[in-house]
Amino acid sequence: MWQHNYEPVAGSLGVSAIVAAIPIVVLFVMLGVLRKPAWMSAMAALVSALLVALAAYGMPLQLALISTLYGAAFGIFPIAWIVFASIMLYRLAVDTGKFEIIKDSVGGLTNDRRLQAMFIAFSFGAFIEGAAGFGAPVAVSGAMLAGLGFNPFYAAGICLLANTAPVAFGSIGIPVVTLANVTGLPVLPLSAMVGRLCAMVSIIIPGYLIVVMAGWKRAGEVLPAIIACGVSFAGMQFYVSNYMGPELTDIISSLTCIVVMVIVLKVWKPKNIMRLEGDKPIDAHPKRHAGGEVFMAWVPYLLLVVFVLVWGEAQIKPRINELGNALVPNGSSIAPGTGPVAERLMVPGLHNQITRIPPVVPAPAPYAALYELNWLSASGTACFLAILATAIVLRVRPAQVVRTYVGTFKQLKLPMVTIASMLGLAYLMNYSGMTSTLGLALAATGFAFPFFSAVLGWLGVFLTGSDTSANALFGNLQVVTANALDLNPVLTASVNSSAGVMGKMISVQSIAVAVAATGMTTADESRLFRFTIKHSILLMVCMAIISMLFAYVFPQYVPVVANP
């Protein structure tokens, strides 16, 4: 069994961290400096990570290759699967002509680009994040904004910026639940602290979006809508996360925000209508449709909501998993757990073949490698069933469905390569110990650790593209370091999740999804990365400063857990 060594270069944590950061530097240089496509940048970073893992960390070649394939498989399923299904649903709505009616119905609420962006990218996108997560919000809302006539670049950038506030509670609260499982801390205090941190950012994100889009002056023209959007979402996010738990935080917050926004848009209009440079002309008088016609046009997304909510329901999901397990060939293994879980396949040649050591874990322990084959209960499957149901309800011919499927696959070929490569990179860095080296280097900052705990969470989401994965990766390290420094572990663990969401907008797989959803080319990926990186760093630094304030100025507002 191969054992991790977190100081493989000259026995120095600092030097080892510099070497471990080489793949990240390669990725930044390829995307931000050389302006290469995301798939090429991800592949270059992956090759550099393989070289570092083999040469510097002494990782056996077999383990390095299998961990890379394991990550790539996770990138294809479930992540690329849900993105594929989301884009296909949008394309089906376009191909059937229903999206034109959707466009007119949204235009009936408002034909101002600022308000459309808040309603679709933030409010509706937050609902999709809460119900499905894993890239679906950017895919769905990005495609919708592009369909409404937005400049594709603005559509992609706006959706990436908007998909920050709800991410920590995405996919029925899975990131917080995972954080509780990894750290051993109770879920409710973690939910409360994550909610307090995220609400402070959520309240400003709608306004931040509009300032980025239009500048301070034009943002001031829609200030009533900005306040209504931010306060309704952040207020409900704080309440639900603190008093009900993480599972329904995004669902209730986004639904509240949607209702508030509809009311505001019905009773209030801005004096000046704004359009964006490079977008299609705004129809000042969108066509009016009968109520039944509008309802049928929204059927694809209504069915999406129904299927995703049903598939994520706590009492139904285990039964779907049981059915899925029954249809999987025998010979695989289900990992221990309470209640029916999805089939978890032990990755041959990798599962428990690597030993993790303190301080990343409390005691030396084998590193599990279990691939969750939740093919039937996956959110992507729920989206695909919504597609089939849409085809039946709208009487779409099978040949048209097949053409839409083929067209979607052609559109997403390179983005799927990017997603697979990035997850392969993330898993290789995890299983080789590179990520732990970087985490330990940040944890060695002592008094300033509350600040760098935010950097750690941000780095985790940037690498993996998932707040859930970043919590699984660094959650325990945050707690171990907090206890060693006599800090409240609830704070540092929560900051890992809350600050991590700011890395979502620069994760290469998110950028690939945004580009594909809005119909841009792979050449636009580096441009989009350069656009989002400054906002990502700024928001992460804001969360890091808030973390320092909670640690040393307002510690009384952090939930205390006895004997953590």
Side-chain angles (χ1 to χ4, degrees):
M1 182 179 289
W2 183 66
Q3 180 173 290
H4 274 174
N5 178 6
Y6 305 126
E7 301 176 353
V9 184
S12 166
L13 180 61
V15 176
S16 299
I18 293 173
V19 173
I22 288 175
I24 300 174
V25 173
V26 169
L27 188 62
F28 271 85
V29 170
M30 289 288 289
L31 265 178
V33 179
L34 301 180
R35 305 185 181 186
K36 299 297 182 181
W39 70 269
M40 191 181 296
S41 303
M43 291 293 289
L46 177 57
V47 170
S48 67
L50 277 169
L51 293 175
V52 171
L54 298 174
Y57 281 76
M59 188 181 194
L61 178 61
Q62 178 182 344
L63 294 177
L65 293 177
I66 295 175
S67 60
T68 301
L69 292 174
Y70 176 28
F74 183 78
I76 296 299
F77 184 91
I79 296 176
W81 174 225
I82 191 171
V83 174
F84 182 93
S86 300
I87 298 296
M88 184 177 172
L89 182 69
Y90 163 73
R91 289 181 65 110
L92 191 64
V94 171
D95 293 344
T96 56
K98 299 301 181 184
F99 196 82
E100 286 299 314
I101 302 175
I102 292 176
K103 186 193 306 184
D104 290 334
S105 67
V106 173
L109 284 174
T110 177
N111 53 14
D112 187 283
R113 292 303 195 211
R114 296 163 294 186
L115 301 180
Q116 289 177 345
M118 272 195 289
F119 186 74
I120 298 295
F122 185 83
S123 305
F124 188 66
F127 179 82
I128 299 298
E129 176 66 44
F134 293 105
V138 173
V140 173
S141 56
M144 291 183 74
L145 287 182
L148 285 168
F150 272 69
N151 177 314
F153 182 81
Y154 277 107
I158 290 164
C159 289
L160 287 170
L161 289 174
N163 193 39
T164 50
V167 168
F169 294 99
S171 194
I172 320 295
I174 287 177
V176 176
V177 173
T178 299
L179 186 63
N181 291 337
V182 168
T183 61
L185 297 171
V187 68
L188 285 179
L190 285 174
S191 175
M193 193 64 226
V194 172
R196 293 171 195 183
L197 290 165
C198 286
M200 298 177 73
V201 175
S202 298
I203 199 168
I204 67 169
I205 289 295
Y208 190 90
L209 286 179
I210 307 307
V211 170
V212 170
M213 282 178 60
W216 289 97
K217 182 178 179 181
R218 300 304 300 270
E221 296 173 356
V222 291
L223 188 60
I226 289 174
I227 294 174
C229 185
V231 171
S232 63
F233 184 89
M236 193 57 69
Q237 186 182 51
F238 176 88
Y239 178 82
V240 177
S241 63
N242 275 260
Y243 299 104
M244 297 176 64
E247 290 84 359
L248 294 177
T249 297
D250 274 352
I251 299 292
I252 296 176
S253 301
S254 58
L255 287 176
T256 302
C257 186
I258 288 171
V259 171
V260 169
M261 285 297 292
V262 169
I263 294 172
V264 169
L265 296 179
K266 285 289 187 181
V267 302
W268 174 85
K269 304 291 182 184
K271 292 181 179 179
N272 301 310
I273 301 299
M274 197 201 88
R275 65 187 300 270
L276 297 170
E277 180 183 352
D279 66 1
K280 296 178 182 178
I282 299 174
D283 187 357
H285 303 285
K287 184 179 178 181
R288 294 187 177 274
H289 301 271
E293 194 177 9
V294 172
F295 176 81
M296 292 303 293
W298 279 94
V299 157
Y301 291 103
L302 294 175
L303 288 172
L304 172 66
V305 169
V306 170
F307 274 95
V308 168
L309 287 179
V310 169
W311 250 237
E313 209 281 324
Q315 301 301 317
I316 296 177
K317 192 178 185 74
R319 297 181 183 180
I320 298 174
N321 279 329
E322 283 183 329
L323 177 59
N325 293 341
L327 298 175
V328 172
N330 292 328
S332 54
S333 173
I334 298 180
T338 57
V341 297
E343 191 81 4
R344 293 181 178 178
L345 310 179
M346 294 186 296
V347 180
L350 182 63
H351 179 63
N352 289 343
Q353 296 302 303
I354 298 173
T355 300
R356 292 196 291 175
I357 60 175
V360 174
V361 289
Y367 202 164
L370 297 166
Y371 181 70
E372 187 172 349
L373 193 64
N374 60 335
W375 67 276
L376 191 58
S377 66
S379 295
T381 303
C383 292
F384 192 75
L385 291 174
I387 293 170
L388 298 180
T390 295
I392 293 172
V393 172
L394 299 182
R395 299 179 182 179
V396 181
R397 293 181 178 180
Q400 177 62 60
V401 176
V402 172
R403 284 195 296 271
T404 303
Y405 181 94
V406 173
T408 304
F409 184 81
K410 290 180 179 179
Q411 181 181 350
L412 294 177
K413 282 188 300 184
L414 288 179
M416 287 193 289
V417 171
T418 302
I419 293 170
S421 300
M422 278 305 301
L423 267 296
L425 168 67
Y427 275 54
L428 175 59
M429 292 187 69
N430 295 349
Y431 279 91
S432 66
M434 280 188 274
T435 306
S436 296
T437 297
L438 293 170
L440 289 171
L442 291 172
T445 53
F447 176 85
F449 179 67
F451 185 97
F452 286 99
S453 67
V455 179
L456 194 58
W458 176 82
L459 178 64
V461 176
F462 165 67
L463 287 174
T464 65
S466 165
D467 201 46
T468 301
S469 298
N471 286 343
L473 185 61
F474 287 137
N476 189 68
L477 180 61
Q478 295 273 16
V479 170
V480 170
T481 307
N483 287 330
L485 297 173
D486 199 26
L487 295 167
N488 190 328
V490 173
L491 173 63
T492 56
S494 300
V495 168
N496 191 84
S497 186
S498 305
V501 304
M502 307 310 171
K504 185 83 169 179
M505 70 180 79
I506 58 167
S507 68
V508 179
Q509 48 270 57
S510 293
I511 289 174
V513 169
V515 167
T518 53
M520 290 191 288
T521 66
T522 54
D524 293 304
E525 289 166 334
S526 60
R527 179 183 171 212
L528 192 58
F529 177 80
R530 295 194 304 275
F531 171 77
T532 55
I533 182 67
K534 55 182 178 291
H535 303 296
S536 178
I537 293 175
L538 174 61
L539 291 170
M540 180 271 291
V541 169
C542 289
M543 186 61 74
I545 294 172
I546 292 172
S547 174
M548 291 288 284
L549 291 174
F550 271 110
Y552 300 118
V553 181
F554 306 111
Q556 66 271 27
Y557 295 109
V558 181
V560 177
V561 176
N563 300 318

